[in-house]
Amino acid sequence: MKIEDLKKRKEELGYTNEMVSKLSGVPLGTVQKFFGGATSKPRYNTLQSIECILFPELHSKIEDWKNLPDGAWMELIDGVLYDRNYPTKRHQYIASQLVIQLSIAIKEKGGPCLVLGPAGVQPDENDDRNGFIPDVLIVCDKEKYTKDEETIVGAPDYVAEVLSPSTEKYDRTLKLNKYWQKGVREYWLIDIKGEEVTVYQFEKGVPPVTYGFEEQIPLGISEGAIVIDFKDISDGMKRFFG
């Protein structure tokens, strides 16, 4: 679709650049350049994100995402399908070890909380334009994980994403905003290259905290009753993969 068509549609809807930025997740500066003519060849993802906000009827919905061919590894963000590369061994190791530690700790505490990873999530039953595949998640409302056979329906209590080149940009921006808006209580971003974990406790409204791979990291939704030994995960990764 041509930029001129998007400009016309934006004017018809009465949207400001700020509104387009907030709804699409595209940085305001990029939106301003896009509509101001400073960018003649915008990135495909930028174009798709803005187009989806202005012409939502032309884009994918949750049923399209659920009906993707077997083996397709894609996420739906505001009606746009994004490819995810198959995770590396280090990526899978960190995610699987995190699932193990969380599962053991939560089982000891009892209660209905379920640990999964990876799993399909529709974070808002009334929003048919967003579907994610978090690396690790915790869901404590049984109805959310029993309502649909294929996906979690409703916001998980906790989500962890292991960053990779194909997902880092939107894990840090688009998905972070969606998780916050839809009611995820706690979000971890795990950076393998930087060897750090950034913890967002959306529920408490506090600034994010960054931990190193050698540290003990408290699970915020457990009020500190559960602590993840990330040094054990890091040591194991180094032992197996160098």
Side-chain angles (χ1 to χ4, degrees):
M1 185 173 293
K2 296 180 179 179
I3 295 179
E4 289 73 18
D5 295 325
L6 296 174
K7 287 181 180 178
K8 182 179 178 181
R9 180 63 170 171
K10 173 174 170 280
E11 292 173 1
E12 290 173 351
L13 294 171
Y15 283 2
T16 64
N17 287 340
E18 289 77 8
M19 291 170 67
V20 172
S21 174
K22 183 176 181 180
L23 292 168
S24 66
V26 176
L28 178 58
T30 302
V31 172
Q32 290 171 333
K33 290 178 181 178
F34 182 89
F35 288 113
T39 303
S40 59
K41 293 183 179 180
R43 293 183 178 182
Y44 176 77
N45 284 350
T46 297
L47 182 62
Q48 286 289 291
S49 296
I50 293 176
E51 188 178 292
C52 185
I53 294 302
L54 301 178
F55 292 93
E57 67 276 9
L58 301 181
H59 290 270
S60 300
K61 298 185 184 299
I62 201 75
E63 289 306 315
D64 302 316
W65 176 66
K66 287 183 177 182
N67 292 320
L68 288 170
D70 290 345
W73 195 254
M74 306 183 78
E75 294 186 300
L76 180 67
I77 306 177
D78 286 329
V80 180
L81 288 166
Y82 291 82
D83 278 312
R84 290 187 58 168
N85 292 338
Y86 198 74
T88 65
K89 295 187 293 292
R90 287 178 174 80
H91 185 132
Q92 293 182 74
Y93 181 82
I94 289 175
S96 63
Q97 293 301 305
L98 184 54
V99 167
I100 289 171
Q101 284 201 35
L102 287 169
S103 297
I104 292 172
I106 287 176
K107 184 177 180 180
E108 290 175 351
K109 303 297 179 184
C113 294
L114 174 70
V115 182
L116 291 173
V121 172
Q122 182 182 356
D124 183 343
E125 185 175 11
N126 298 314
D127 177 359
D128 66 353
R129 299 192 307 135
N130 287 281
F132 308 133
I133 311 174
D135 289 312
V136 182
L137 62 148
I138 300 173
V139 187
C140 297
D141 182 345
K142 188 173 182 179
E143 184 178 354
K144 292 181 180 180
Y145 58 78
T146 58
K147 188 167 189 176
D148 183 273
E149 182 66 26
E150 299 176 349
T151 60
I152 303 297
V153 180
D157 294 86
Y158 163 95
V159 167
E161 298 282 12
V162 182
L163 298 177
S164 64
S166 68
T167 67
E168 179 171 359
K169 182 177 179 179
Y170 59 85
D171 282 343
R172 290 190 184 275
T173 55
L174 297 181
K175 286 173 67 178
L176 185 151
N177 287 328
K178 289 298 176 185
Y179 286 141
W180 170 57
Q181 292 167 5
K182 300 301 182 182
V184 171
R185 298 165 59 196
E186 183 169 356
Y187 181 40
W188 288 18
L189 278 174
I190 302 171
D191 182 353
I192 299 176
K193 289 185 178 180
E195 296 191 351
E196 59 185 27
V197 181
T198 303
V199 175
Y200 295 83
Q201 294 194 56
F202 297 136
E203 179 183 48
K204 296 183 179 179
V206 296
V209 177
T210 299
Y211 297 87
F213 271 22
E214 302 297 308
E215 296 187 66
Q216 307 281 315
I217 306 178
L219 180 67
I221 62 171
S222 75
E223 299 297 335
I226 293 174
V227 176
I228 297 302
D229 183 357
F230 224 89
K231 185 178 186 304
D232 182 68
I233 296 175
S234 178
D235 288 347
M237 184 173 64
K238 291 175 183 176
R239 183 169 68 254
F240 290 117
F241 308 119

